[in-house]
Amino acid sequence: MKILVYGVILGLVALAIRAIRRSNREGDRIQEDWEALEGVAATRGWTYERRARGRATEYCGVGPMPGKGSNLSAWHYITGEFRGRSFKCFEYRYVNPLSGDTQAGNRQYTHESVFLISAPGMGTPYMHVGRPSKIDGMMGRGPRMLLGVPEFDKKFRVDTRDEAFVRSVLTDDMRAFLLSDQRAETHPLRLRDDELFTWYTGYLNEQEIENRLNYLCDVMERIPAQVWTAA
């Protein structure tokens, strides 16, 4: 019996050591990605700030951002042009009360990466397109807009205060694109004022900057030009 208990203890210790090593390797990789961002920005003529205090505040209410706040920092704040469009991207960090401390006893942060490109309109209506979720009701989301296209309505949740505007954006071509492009499954869209957003939970890195900005530009190119003048 003692031998069995001893073996179990050794097994648990080995698992813990492997977990720590994996965590350390992951931490090193993330740090390398962060350190590369400044060089990427310089190479492409973008601006980079490791921490831009207060710059995330204006995006409260968008995607993973809190509904309100003050002096919120945007980490790895990058601005520039991509495919001829002005863009911004950054990390927002907050302490998740449901997560425990790290193994070193430090507070554990949740990292949200946010991306946006400028839209040609001014003060365009609010629109959200994303995957429906079982917790929509728990999150206080009201009835969603249905376009009357069963395949699209089943796969996407659309929220807006201006149905006519959204129908002008979600044309046959746009719906076909969103239904066929795999990125639409993990890249929510939010249009607010004169900016188009997407985001994800995780660390910012060069590959995702390229991926997310390409997606936003692909979406923007499919929005009819008259939408902006009508809005």
Side-chain angles (χ1 to χ4, degrees):
M1 184 65 179
K2 290 183 178 180
I3 295 176
L4 177 61
V5 171
Y6 184 66
V8 170
I9 293 174
L10 286 179
L12 292 174
V13 170
L15 286 173
I17 292 173
R18 284 198 293 269
I20 292 172
R21 287 175 176 171
R22 282 196 301 270
S23 177
N24 289 340
R25 287 196 297 269
E26 177 71 5
D28 290 342
R29 183 189 63 77
I30 292 167
Q31 194 65 41
E32 289 172 1
D33 286 343
W34 281 339
E35 291 173 355
L37 290 176
E38 185 171 6
V40 170
T43 300
R44 303 189 66 159
W46 300 339
T47 63
Y48 171 87
E49 292 181 65
R50 181 178 177 273
R51 182 179 186 179
R53 298 180 186 273
R55 296 307 298 267
T57 308
E58 63 186 289
Y59 301 112
C60 284
V62 174
M65 298 295 295
K68 59 182 179 179
S70 61
N71 200 34
L72 302 180
S73 291
W75 293 84
H76 308 295
Y77 183 72
I78 300 174
T79 64
E81 284 198 2
F82 186 88
R83 287 172 53 177
R85 301 183 187 277
S86 298
F87 82 91
K88 299 174 186 175
C89 63
F90 61 90
E91 266 187 31
Y92 171 67
R93 305 174 181 178
Y94 64 94
V95 177
N96 187 339
L98 299 180
S99 64
D101 293 342
T102 66
Q103 292 176 344
N106 300 320
R107 293 186 300 175
Q108 188 165 327
Y109 286 89
T110 295
H111 298 246
E112 305 283 0
S113 294
V114 180
F115 308 78
L116 59 116
I117 61 173
S118 296
M122 292 294 291
T124 50
Y126 159 83
M127 180 189 76
H128 171 86
V129 180
R131 303 288 287 180
S133 171
K134 294 180 179 179
I135 66 170
D136 284 338
M138 296 172 57
M139 298 296 292
R141 301 186 180 111
R144 61 190 177 116
M145 174 183 171
L146 298 175
L147 275 74
V149 182
E151 183 182 9
F152 189 87
D153 288 339
K154 180 180 180 180
K155 196 169 183 178
F156 294 98
R157 176 186 174 98
V158 179
D159 294 281
T160 185
R161 303 181 189 93
D162 190 332
E163 291 196 11
F165 172 77
V166 170
R167 289 185 185 278
S168 69
V169 172
L170 298 178
T171 60
D172 292 346
D173 177 59
M174 180 69 83
R175 294 197 305 271
F177 169 72
L178 294 175
L179 285 168
S180 62
D181 195 299
Q182 291 185 346
R183 293 174 298 178
E185 298 183 6
T186 56
H187 295 37
L189 294 169
R190 179 74 58 87
L191 185 62
R192 190 183 77 167
D193 296 332
D194 58 346
E195 294 169 324
L196 180 65
F197 299 79
T198 191
W199 58 88
Y200 66 87
T201 300
Y203 303 93
L204 191 65
N205 61 67
E206 178 184 3
Q207 181 178 349
E208 284 297 346
I209 293 174
E210 193 84 16
N211 176 14
R212 302 284 166 157
L213 293 181
N214 267 317
Y215 180 66
L216 289 176
C217 289
D218 289 344
V219 169
M220 190 69 76
E221 288 175 356
R222 287 169 170 79
I223 299 178
Q226 63 269 24
V227 166
W228 309 114
T229 55

